[in-house]
Amino acid sequence: MTPPNPPAAPLRADCVGDSAGGLTFDVAARGNTGSALLILRRRDTDAEETVSLPLAPAAEGLLRAALPSSVSLPEGRWDAYAALSDGEPRRLVPGVTDLRSLAARTPGGLLGHVAVRIPYATRQGNLTVRSWLRAPHAETAELELLNGGLAVRGRVYGTQLTADAHAELRARTASDGDGDGVRRVDVVTERADFGFTVRYDTLAPGDWDLWLRPAGESGPVVRLARLLDDVADKHPVLTYPRARVLTPDGPVEAGPYYTDDNDLSLSVVPSAP
């Protein structure tokens, strides 16, 4: 019996981010690669959605594809493949990743949106690109833990702050005792920067999502998030102490966290008296 062919070695891709938010992929591939493509497939969508980028020779044994910031990549997780010599697409694994330019990036927001793409290794060791496309965007710049509260500072992109600007805390479930599940918080503004303070003792137990209304009730509603760095999943990386406060619902422990989408939220849970 002829032994089965050993599985092909995984294709490795180095990734470099640029200051405009684009990515370059360098795939190590030798021999006759033919007409090669780098393929990004959006995960968890009903219809298969792909973006194909040509892989062109850049050096001996190296193919290069560019994903400029001008190419639209809808928000989500995009699994990376390479198709060589008209063969079946093969899953890519990450090589060297250089995202220093992403971490130092300050987008202008002139296009009315902020596009962020961060390559990362999945739990299986494969290469995936996490993409965000926010229009407009409210970037969380700093969180300061106060005695029984939280001070939030950030910057808005793609829209203007007005005198009517304010923040909203929205209960994720409809079980808020006041019925509407929304808390309005005053905002201090300076050009594109904003800041506000949340008091935990005003919040019922549950999860509260933070939003910004840059132009008040008549303008857009913008989710607060931290996107402009090189960390694809902040939830397990950025953790914050919790404060114990007394509320009309009894004692609680409260604190901020980032969701799986890197959006900013607050967790309020009952604690023992």
Side-chain angles (χ1 to χ4, degrees), residues 9 14 81 116 246:
D14 297 338
Y81 299 79
V116 179
L246 185 63

Side-chain angles (χ1 to χ4, degrees), residues 40-59:
L40 299 174
R41 289 179 177 170
R42 192 179 182 191
R43 196 188 300 173
D44 301 327
T45 54
D46 293 335
E48 182 173 303
E49 189 172 356
T50 64
V51 172
S52 296
L53 306 169
L55 277 166

Side-chain angles (χ1 to χ4, degrees), residues 147-259:
N147 183 20
L150 177 72
V152 180
R153 282 181 280 275
R155 172 167 289 190
V156 69
Y157 298 91
T159 191
Q160 299 292 321
L161 292 167
T162 72
D164 296 322
H166 63 268
E168 288 183 351
L169 281 69
R170 297 184 175 185
R172 202 171 296 169
T173 63
S175 59
D176 177 43
D178 287 350
D180 61 354
V182 177
R183 299 286 186 275
R184 175 171 170 164
V185 181
D186 292 336
V187 167
V188 176
T189 65
E190 183 178 356
R191 297 184 177 87
D193 296 331
F194 62 87
F196 61 90
T197 300
V198 177
R199 289 178 47 195
Y200 294 149
D201 60 8
T202 65
L203 304 178
D207 288 286
W208 294 79
D209 298 329
L210 278 69
W211 297 77
L212 181 71
R213 284 188 173 271
E217 298 291 340
S218 62
V221 184
V222 188
R223 188 73 163 92
L224 266 71
R226 183 169 175 176
L227 307 180
L228 300 177
D229 57 23
D230 57 355
V231 181
D233 291 300
K234 295 179 177 60
H235 181 69
V237 177
L238 300 182
T239 59
Y240 299 91
R242 303 174 66 82
R244 193 171 188 270
V245 298
L246 185 63
T247 74
D249 297 287
V252 301
E253 289 186 354
Y257 69 94
Y258 285 101
T259 70

Side-chain angles (χ1 to χ4, degrees), residues 49 51 67-75 78 113 115 117 131 133:
E49 189 172 356
V51 172
L67 176 66
S69 57
S70 57
V71 173
S72 177
L73 196 67
E75 191 158 323
W78 295 77
H113 67 259
R117 295 88 177 265
S131 174
L133 191 63

